[in-house]
């Protein structure tokens, strides 16, 4: 396996890693209960997706 001949500087390493930061997930609003949810997923609060109930939620 080849090995690097010289050590990479801290600046060069940090420039390469500048795009590795995690971004915040895009959230949308549930049209049924107006809670924040991930897009294209059933709402964890009410269990609705695209206007119909897909997950049965028990009332507390």
């Amino acid at each position: 396996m080849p090995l690097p001949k010289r050590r990479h500087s801290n600046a060069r390493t940090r420039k390469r890693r500048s795009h590795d930061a995690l971004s915040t997930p895009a959230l949308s609003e549930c049209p049924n209960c107006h809670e924040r949810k991930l897009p294209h997923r059933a709402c964890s609060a009410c269990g609705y997706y695209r206007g119909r109930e897909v997950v049965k939620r028990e009332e507390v």
Side-chain angles (χ1 to χ4, degrees), residues 6-55:
R6 297 274 185 251
R7 178 180 186 268
H8 285 171
S9 67
N10 288 342
R12 184 172 175 173
T13 303
R14 289 175 183 157
K15 283 180 193 175
R16 186 184 71 244
R17 292 179 182 166
S18 66
H19 302 287
D20 292 347
L22 296 175
S23 60
T24 58
L27 297 175
S28 61
E29 183 179 299
C30 174
N32 189 45
C33 67
H34 305 289
E35 289 283 329
R36 305 283 285 172
K37 69 174 192 71
L38 289 172
H40 307 287
R41 284 162 180 82
C43 179
S44 60
C46 65
Y48 274 72
Y49 180 68
R50 296 185 69 180
R52 59 189 173 95
E53 188 176 15
V54 293
V55 179

